[in-house]
Amino acid sequence: MSGLKIDDISMRFDLPNGSHVQALQNVSLDLKSGELMSVLGPSGCGKTTLLNIVAGFLKQTSGEIILNDKKVTGPGAERGMVFQQGALFEWMSVRKNVSFGPDMKGMPKAKSNEIVEHLLDVVGLQDFKDKAVYELSGGMQQRVALARCLANDPDVILMDEPLGALDALTREKMQGLVLKLWKETGKTIILITHSVEEALLLGERLLVMAPRPGRIHKEYRLPFAEMGVGGDLREVKKHPDYNSTREEILAMIWDMEEEIMGRTDGAAA
Amino acid sequence: MIILAMYIAIFAAAAIVWAIVGAPFVRKDPFTALKTVTFGDESAIRSNRFASVVSVISIFLIWASFTGSTLIPNALHVPGPFQGETSFEYEATAPDGTTDAGTVRALVHPVGAAVETPSLEGLEESGFAKNFTSTIPAYRSATIVAGKLLDDRKTQKITSIDGTPIAPGGAVDIATGQVRMNAKGSLTFEPLQGMQMAEQYLPPPEKVGKRFVSLIFDGYQNVTLFEHLGLSLFRVFVGFFLGCLVGIPLGYAMGLNGWFRGWFDPIVEFMRPVPPLALIPLIIIWLGIWETGKISLLFLAALWIMAISARSGVSGVRISKVHAAYSLGASKWQILKNVIVPNSLPDIFTGARVAMGVCWGTVVAAELVAAQKGAGKMIIEASKFSLTDIVIVGILLIGVVGFGIDILMRKLENYLIPWKGKG
Ligand SMILES: Nc1ncnc2c1ncn2[C@@H]1O[C@H](COP(=O)(O)OP(=O)(O)OP(=O)(O)O)[C@@H](O)[C@H]1O
Ligand SMILES: [Mg+2]
């Protein structure tokens, strides 16, 4: 079967003081090849932990990750990662960053150059390819990160709040870019975000997680990503379903946060 | 004290002058010029060029002024030692109550000048108190034993100088100096010292400059200045290079492997706070005073610094970069080469700058203790013969070279690792 299977994953962190945190409990998911799933949830519900397990950086306490019929046991080139920020190699030029994956594989220069040129075109950084990455703005740096990940041609792309550090306008632009890249490349994508709007706009599927223990709370299938591809994201936002779903999810997460932090609406009195 | 007071006075005067007339010369950069809050805003503080120039000039002036330098007009000199001919009269009393007077003449002359003793012509010589003449180099004093002045020093006593009574242990100030009498009744004449410093304490700038030139061409004890400095630099570079060669891989191993870290942590942590200078005696015992000894010392000085900086360079790598590299398909070796090493270079360079500074200081100190040649050897040898000008040339050059090394390392750093601090 082609696709990503997250099978009954649990993750327990034992703390030095003897107690433990149940970061994930019995999380199961199936992603078909080419699906984009966004993940929402209050802080500390295990989103990053889940992504790190899929990426192979963490070993789950129990359960299995199976990608294209192969068990995941560690990090690998078939699962690309886009981090929030600061994961680019500042000692390399933009071009070198993007060609990192092909270079590591020992791909011939001519071929990797072709890939790099194409991707720089796609993300609109042709004019900056010989610049150092620290000379670029935050949005540009994230475009380099996307291109770097795509240059390696992974089956699955894992994104942990990839647009979290950007300003609102840049963020909207980048959302369009993510949709475009998704459609053009047909990659399977898991995208963690704190923005309900972003999750709605980008996620074909949307997963809401709940904390303590970290688990799947609810899953949605949404039409907005499909509508947004090639179109205007603002138009999508005017859709009545978009607004109602947004309100519903906001309320859901709000309730969960309140449970964690205690009620704030005058309950102290 | 006077020097400090003068320095503060110059500082204040220059600051006031600048405050009054300096404003038009300030080249404000357009951004800072718009700031209203500058006190507390470090970025708004620009080093004042005028102040730097005045600071350097005033140090030079004070130096020149207190050494009677010929580079500046005499009016700027602080009073120098008395020089020229002087004399005083003394009166002596015999046991029978008779008194007699005598004259002491002295010529105070510049150190090293060949002069003749002033004549006693025109002085009448009668009675038991005799006239006396002598030459005294500037800054020195002359002791005139009583026997030279009196016929019978056992019974006759000197009682006054220029009319002022004097007794054993006492002193009388005269216009050109001071006359003291010791317990045995002998006189010591000390001409006025003035406020200038004797050349053996601080030679004037031109002497130092001349010595600098002669050191370059003729050297000291048949070894030219460049040989001395070059040898010191050579030791530093060899020691530093060897220290890097061992220290950096060691630091990487400690940063990447628990066994290595466990094994070497106690050693490194213990050796780090031991000043390299404290190792000199042991190194001399083990390896003698030869080249191996000094280079081993510098090797040790650089080793711990480099090991620690390489280790912290490795631990400083952001985990997301390593993760990113793994999920881009890099092997461990590729990650070491393409992520960990470049990421640690800024730390290593900082360490290298510190290590270079420490090595430079250590080599000079080691040469002071034991060496045939080298900058430190040169100044310690010169100091034994009170050749203060060589000592000063040496100190200035040691400072200049140390400063030069640091500048060079910084330039190299900017050139080689432009990404420093931008991750
Ligand atoms: N290395 C670790 N050791 C101990 N506990 C951990 C560790 N990593 C995560 N946890 C705990 O696991 C839980 C889930 O953490 P995780 O980082 O996955 O949350 P998250 O959903 O990504 O939160 P955020 O939205 O704030 O990024 C938290 O309670 C956290 O304290
Ligand atoms: Mg997280």
Side-chain angles (χ1 to χ4, degrees):
Chain A
M1 192 202 83
S2 132
L4 177 69
K5 188 175 171 63
I6 296 173
D7 187 12
D8 202 24
I9 292 287
S10 293
M11 185 72 194
R12 198 176 112 148
F13 289 107
D14 290 314
L15 303 178
N17 63 11
S19 66
H20 59 85
V21 178
Q22 192 71 38
L24 292 171
Q25 189 157 29
N26 307 104
V27 174
S28 292
L29 260 183
D30 269 308
L31 268 124
K32 282 209 277 299
S33 188
E35 275 186 323
L36 198 174
M37 167 176 273
S38 50
V39 181
L40 273 175
S43 196
C45 69
K47 306 182 292 291
T48 299
T49 305
L50 181 62
L51 212 66
N52 278 338
I53 291 172
V54 175
F57 302 142
L58 277 177
K59 192 166 162 37
Q60 64 274 22
T61 322
S62 68
E64 281 186 340
I65 306 285
I66 294 164
L67 176 62
N68 300 337
D69 299 325
K70 278 223 287 283
K71 243 170 97 170
V72 166
T73 52
E78 72 286 350
R79 282 156 289 133
M81 193 88 181
V82 178
F83 296 86
Q84 182 169 2
Q85 66 181 148
L88 292 177
F89 306 130
E90 66 266 22
W91 46 89
M92 294 178 181
S93 65
V94 168
R95 179 209 297 270
K96 277 271 167 205
N97 263 282
V98 177
S99 70
F100 188 85
D103 287 350
M104 294 302 106
K105 269 187 250 169
M107 188 185 283
K109 266 272 157 280
K111 199 162 163 228
S112 73
N113 254 339
E114 205 176 298
I115 296 176
V116 170
E117 291 294 320
H118 168 69
L119 282 169
L120 287 176
D121 267 337
V122 173
V123 300
L125 288 174
Q126 263 303 342
D127 295 344
F128 298 89
K129 60 185 170 195
D130 292 314
K131 282 249 170 7
V133 289
Y134 54 80
E135 292 173 293
L136 305 186
S137 71
M140 288 167 157
Q141 291 189 3
Q142 283 315 78
R143 283 190 265 163
V144 177
L146 281 175
R148 181 176 73 176
C149 183
L150 288 169
N152 213 32
D153 198 26
D155 297 325
V156 180
I157 299 180
L158 308 168
M159 304 188 183
D160 194 352
E161 300 177 40
L163 312 180
L166 306 180
D167 66 274
L169 278 176
T170 313
R171 192 165 182 162
E172 238 180 85
K173 278 258 156 60
M174 292 289 289
Q175 289 165 354
L177 179 65
V178 171
L179 273 184
K180 182 180 129 191
L181 291 175
W182 170 58
K183 212 60 217 176
E184 277 178 9
T185 57
K187 301 288 178 202
T188 314
I189 297 178
I190 300 180
L191 183 145
I192 294 177
T193 174
H194 269 129
S195 153
V196 177
E197 298 209 345
E198 191 166 282
L200 286 171
L201 285 175
L202 301 185
E204 216 183 354
R205 295 171 66 183
L206 192 162
L207 196 69
V208 181
M209 290 179 66
R212 300 183 184 191
R215 61 198 185 274
I216 295 175
H217 184 70
K218 190 157 182 188
E219 206 201 310
Y220 293 83
R221 280 193 176 270
L222 304 167
F224 310 118
E226 205 58 57
M227 288 159 61
V229 171
D232 187 351
L233 292 183
R234 287 161 194 240
E235 286 303 317
V236 179
K237 288 188 193 171
K238 290 180 190 150
H239 200 281
D241 285 356
Y242 174 88
N243 277 311
S244 59
T245 321
R246 196 185 66 154
E247 289 308 317
E248 183 185 328
I249 294 173
L250 270 177
M252 190 185 297
I253 295 180
W254 183 252
D255 283 346
M256 286 194 256
E257 295 270 12
E258 237 168 27
E259 225 166 274
I260 303 169
M261 310 221 266
R263 296 185 68 82
T264 49
D265 49 354
Chain B
M1 264 341 266
I2 301 168
I3 296 181
L4 183 65
M6 269 176 77
Y7 194 66
I8 292 172
I10 294 177
F11 175 89
I16 291 166
V17 168
W18 181 253
I20 295 169
V21 304
F25 301 109
V26 187
R27 209 164 39 98
K28 284 189 179 162
D29 70 281
F31 185 60
T32 307
L34 296 176
K35 287 184 178 174
T36 54
V37 173
T38 53
F39 186 82
D41 178 359
E42 202 275 338
S43 67
I45 302 298
R46 297 274 169 282
S47 167
N48 189 322
R49 276 283 156 78
F50 176 73
S52 311
V53 172
V54 174
S55 160
V56 173
I57 291 180
S58 58
I59 285 180
F60 176 81
L61 275 182
I62 289 178
W63 179 12
S65 162
F66 277 83
T67 50
S69 165
T70 53
L71 296 176
I72 58 171
N74 276 333
L76 289 177
H77 291 160
V78 295
F82 169 79
Q83 298 200 6
E85 217 178 293
T86 182
S87 68
F88 60 87
E89 257 185 32
Y90 70 93
E91 210 173 52
T93 312
D96 58 5
T98 55
T99 62
D100 189 19
T103 302
V104 174
R105 273 195 182 159
L107 175 64
V108 185
H109 60 86
V111 185
V115 288
E116 291 188 357
T117 14
S119 82
L120 290 171
E121 244 166 63
L123 293 174
E124 127 196 32
E125 188 73 78
S126 68
F128 57 85
K130 287 174 285 190
N131 298 324
F132 185 79
T133 176
S134 145
T135 60
I136 310 175
Y139 297 109
R140 304 276 169 75
S141 50
T143 297
I144 308 150
V145 291
K148 290 249 170 82
L149 299 173
L150 305 170
D151 282 344
D152 179 8
R153 52 176 274 228
K154 292 245 167 61
T155 55
Q156 298 155 349
K157 296 280 175 262
I158 294 170
T159 50
S160 74
I161 304 292
D162 279 351
T164 314
I166 193 168
V172 172
D173 286 321
I174 64 172
T176 56
Q178 190 184 47
V179 181
R180 290 191 292 270
M181 183 185 270
N182 70 8
K184 287 183 174 159
S186 297
L187 296 181
T188 299
F189 174 56
E190 186 189 304
L192 277 179
Q193 299 276 311
M195 281 159 62
Q196 292 186 6
M197 297 184 78
E199 213 172 293
Q200 81 205 58
Y201 295 115
L202 182 66
E206 69 270 15
K207 282 264 165 65
V208 173
K210 220 192 270 168
R211 179 63 88 168
F212 175 57
V213 173
S214 90
L215 281 176
I216 289 177
F217 294 110
D218 311 330
Y220 175 58
Q221 295 183 340
N222 292 325
V223 184
T224 66
L225 187 59
F226 290 122
E227 260 178 278
H228 281 301
L229 282 176
L231 195 62
S232 299
L233 274 174
F234 168 77
R235 288 169 181 149
V236 166
F237 281 119
V238 174
F240 171 76
F241 177 75
L242 294 176
C244 288
L245 209 65
V246 178
I248 294 175
L250 181 64
Y252 280 143
M254 288 172 73
L256 295 169
N257 181 292
W259 180 258
F260 271 92
R261 178 173 296 193
W263 189 274
F264 288 106
D265 241 354
I267 304 175
V268 170
E269 292 299 333
F270 175 75
M271 287 308 290
R272 177 170 64 165
V274 176
L277 299 183
L279 298 174
I280 292 181
L282 194 61
I283 295 267
I284 290 181
I285 294 173
W286 283 355
L287 298 167
I289 60 167
W290 306 101
E291 235 32 59
T292 25
K294 278 182 285 286
I295 287 177
S296 311
L297 182 69
L298 296 173
F299 163 75
L300 288 176
L303 177 66
W304 313 121
I305 300 176
M306 293 318 295
I308 287 166
S309 61
R311 185 185 68 183
S312 74
V314 175
S315 4
V317 63
R318 208 189 265 242
I319 188 62
S320 59
K321 290 192 214 299
V322 177
H323 279 172
Y326 270 116
S327 46
L328 288 167
S331 65
K332 279 186 185 171
W333 181 246
Q334 284 172 324
I335 284 178
L336 179 66
K337 177 166 159 275
N338 294 296
V339 180
I340 291 173
V341 168
N343 190 80
S344 64
L345 284 183
D347 278 309
I348 289 184
F349 243 90
T350 309
R353 258 177 60 202
V354 174
M356 266 298 200
V358 170
C359 280
W360 185 239
T362 306
V363 78
V364 171
E367 288 165 356
L368 291 178
V369 178
Q372 264 69 46
K373 294 174 190 175
K377 173 65 179 173
M378 181 180 85
I379 61 176
I380 195 75
E381 199 58 31
S383 87
K384 285 181 192 156
F385 299 100
S386 289
L387 294 168
T388 317
D389 45 358
I390 296 186
V391 175
I392 288 180
V393 169
I395 291 172
L396 288 179
L397 283 176
I398 288 166
V400 167
V401 171
F403 186 60
I405 290 177
D406 200 56
I407 297 268
L408 211 73
M409 297 290 284
R410 266 184 230 219
K411 285 258 160 10
L412 209 62
E413 186 174 20
N414 288 343
Y415 175 71
L416 290 176
I417 39 175
W419 66 86
K420 181 177 180 172
K422 309 230 169 94

